[in-house]
Amino acid sequence: MIKNIDYWDLDRFAQDIVSGKQLTDENLRELLSLTEEEDIQKLHYVARKVRDHFFGNKVFLYSFVYFSTYCKNNCAFCYYNRCNDIQRYRLDMEEIRNICRALKNESIHMVDLTMGEDPYFHNDPEKFVDIVRTVKEEMGLPIMISPGVMDDRTLSKLRENGADFLALYQETHDRELYQKLRVGQSFEERMHARQFAKKIGYCVEDGILTGVGNNIDSTIKSLRGMQKNKPDMVRVMTFVPQDGTPLEEVSQESSLSELKIISILRLMFPDRLIPASLDLEGIDGMVHRLNAGANVVTSIIPSDSSLEGVVNYDRELEERDRDPKSVVKRLRTMGMEPASQADFNRIIGKSTGKPAEVPVVAI
Ligand code: SAM
Ligand code: MD0
Ligand code: SF4
């Protein structure tokens, strides 16, 4: 499929994908098994062709607001799991308003409000509804929520008060592996929350981890598992071992597998949103992920902010370079541009069947 074919045929392959060609499990196995640099570059080439067909050189930018790092869960891979003895924080409304004001007029299309499953909010969800309503008033931008699993009534309330996008990653659709990663958490409950959100008009993002003991069969199971629910956005992240967690001794894989899977996701979800997260390898890593077929930049945090990421590749660094201006500057060196807010609103509107109530501001 990719091996031993020339770029002429690669263009035709890209056109087939654009015209609706579906990859078989055998195709996925072949692509996941690629090891030769030349073949992997061909895969990235086809993925870029498909991405450019739907999005041209336009990129979407999300700011990341991790407003509470408290969590009641015990995910084996996560720095913020409840058993890890770390400094945690929970922003109050004034701090959140100040962040909104600092982000105003920055080149971002959506705000990602993320928390651990903090009992302070999970036991009294109205407090989170207040935050969503406030950020919507302050920013007037689409809002992504990443709150962990919340019940149907709360998801409906959040939707009514301005939430447009739910980010809730299954990490794997291989149930056995899931139990090892999201220890003690229900596989079904997590699936249901995304399905319910989609039903009531949210856009949804699903995501998988790689480098967590997922072999090719397990990865294919996860790719098919994601496909079943027709998400609006799909992601893959390389697992980065975190101090003080059960998986801290696991050796970290390179981003090769992640970059291959980003390209494969582009071929499986040609017109969907696929992120290059700054949280893994910063702006240099962003370039590789965009060249693999991504079209969104996430985990953007103002340089003077003390807000945390999730993986925090830059935890020890003096200088942070994941602010909107640095991102846009680097995009332009790649011949890419931030998209217009109208472009993004159309994508949100198309999925939710209701135009996002957001004024169109030139970026
Ligand atoms: N607490 C919410 C949840 O679990 O859905 C939202 C925040 S959570 C920290 C966001 C995601 O970050 C996880 O779903 C996982 O995919 C990713 N993540 C967390 N720790 C990671 C690690 N060590 N390496 C790579 N990705 C990680
Ligand atoms: C990211 N650090 O985009 C963020 C986080 C959660 N919705 C997003 C994982 O990589
Ligand atoms: Fe908590 Fe989310 Fe981390 Fe799991 S991934 S420990 S739910 S913050």
Side-chain angles (χ1 to χ4, degrees):
M1 199 168 73
I2 284 261
K3 277 181 176 309
N4 320 323
I5 70 171
D6 62 27
Y7 279 77
W8 171 258
D9 290 328
L10 290 177
D11 289 349
R12 225 193 1 239
F13 175 32
Q15 193 43 53
D16 290 349
I17 294 287
V18 166
S19 317
K21 173 187 170 62
Q22 298 294 311
L23 300 179
T24 65
D25 283 7
E26 262 339 283
N27 297 151
L28 294 180
R29 189 175 302 287
E30 183 202 329
L31 296 175
L32 287 165
S33 313
L34 294 177
T35 53
E36 302 299 318
E37 182 56 22
E38 190 199 350
D39 296 332
I40 292 168
Q41 285 313 322
K42 285 180 178 175
L43 170 61
H44 294 333
Y45 170 84
V46 176
R48 285 195 300 277
K49 287 287 261 186
V50 172
R51 186 243 352 247
D52 296 353
H53 172 85
F54 289 100
F55 300 101
N57 70 338
K58 302 296 184 207
V59 177
F60 304 103
L61 295 93
Y62 301 178
S63 77
F64 184 61
V65 179
Y66 203 169
F67 64 91
S68 172
T69 61
Y70 289 90
C71 188
K72 61 181 167 57
N73 287 334
N74 191 14
C75 301
F77 54 85
C78 183
Y79 181 70
Y80 302 96
N81 82 45
R82 69 164 186 266
C83 304
N84 205 1
D85 179 16
I86 57 171
Q87 285 297 318
R88 298 177 190 265
Y89 65 78
R90 180 187 300 122
L91 302 183
D92 63 26
M93 194 62 92
E94 204 38 43
E95 288 167 314
I96 290 172
R97 279 186 196 285
N98 291 340
I99 290 168
C100 292
R101 291 173 190 143
L103 283 172
K104 201 111 183 130
N105 305 326
E106 289 280 8
S107 296
I108 54 167
H109 298 92
M110 181 155 72
V111 180
D112 177 349
L113 294 174
T114 289
M115 65 167 151
E117 290 197 11
D118 181 352
Y120 177 85
F121 293 106
H122 276 249
N123 299 347
D124 183 358
E126 199 50 44
K127 291 191 180 111
F128 183 39
V129 173
D130 290 347
I131 291 179
V132 169
R133 192 184 306 117
T134 303
V135 173
K136 195 73 160 187
E137 281 160 14
E138 288 281 349
M139 301 290 300
L141 284 178
I143 291 183
M144 169 181 267
I145 56 170
S146 316
V149 173
M150 294 196 121
D151 62 31
D152 296 1
R153 219 173 70 75
T154 304
L155 285 174
S156 303
K157 207 90 197 301
L158 290 161
R159 178 85 184 108
E160 288 151 21
N161 287 275
D164 300 284
F165 226 116
L166 172 69
L168 193 68
Y169 316 143
Q170 204 68 16
E171 321 300 358
T172 174
H173 287 257
D174 171 342
R175 290 166 184 270
E176 212 182 309
L177 180 56
Y178 180 89
Q179 290 314 335
K180 291 186 190 134
L181 297 176
R182 283 195 166 270
V183 182
Q185 294 164 56
S186 155
F187 184 94
E188 283 75 19
E189 244 184 46
R190 206 165 176 84
M191 292 287 284
H192 168 79
R194 251 191 333 274
Q195 288 156 354
F196 177 78
K198 184 91 181 155
K199 209 169 68 194
I200 63 167
Y202 280 88
C203 291
V204 297
E205 180 188 18
D206 191 2
I208 58 175
L209 289 177
T210 191
V212 279
N214 50 307
N215 60 19
I216 287 186
D217 287 331
S218 171
T219 306
I220 292 174
K221 208 183 269 179
S222 290
L223 293 170
R224 293 301 183 205
M226 282 205 280
Q227 205 172 25
K228 238 189 278 139
N229 296 311
K230 299 188 173 42
D232 306 278
M233 181 167 172
V234 285
R235 73 158 64 202
V236 53
M237 292 175 80
T238 303
F239 163 61
V240 178
Q242 302 286 320
D243 296 346
T245 67
L247 300 182
E248 69 181 345
E249 299 305 329
V250 171
S251 54
Q252 180 179 346
E253 285 189 10
S254 79
S255 59
L256 173 64
S257 164
E258 180 186 335
L259 296 175
K260 276 198 290 188
I261 297 174
I262 286 176
S263 290
I264 293 168
L265 287 174
R266 180 54 66 198
L267 303 186
M268 293 177 71
F269 304 90
D271 63 350
R272 301 289 129 148
L273 299 163
I274 301 177
S277 168
L278 293 167
D279 211 15
L280 293 157
E281 298 175 311
I283 284 189
D284 293 341
M286 170 194 84
V287 172
H288 298 304
R289 289 162 174 81
L290 290 171
N291 285 337
N295 67 328
V296 180
V297 179
T298 65
S299 222
I300 295 173
I301 300 176
S303 40
D304 58 356
S305 163
S306 59
L307 279 175
E308 299 197 6
V310 167
V311 173
N312 297 300
Y313 82 99
D314 50 1
R315 186 172 281 130
E316 314 302 328
L317 301 183
E318 284 298 306
E319 274 297 301
R320 269 184 150 167
D321 72 344
R322 47 162 121 184
D323 59 288
K325 290 191 179 48
S326 304
V327 168
V328 173
K329 193 158 153 244
R330 183 58 103 35
L331 286 178
R332 298 217 160 107
T333 66
M334 301 170 68
M336 305 188 89
E337 283 285 333
S340 73
Q341 189 66 46
D343 288 342
F344 190 65
N345 297 352
R346 244 189 312 282
I347 289 175
I348 297 244
K350 208 170 48 189
S351 169
T352 60
K354 185 158 82 48
E357 288 125 13
V358 176
V360 176
V361 192
I363 288 246

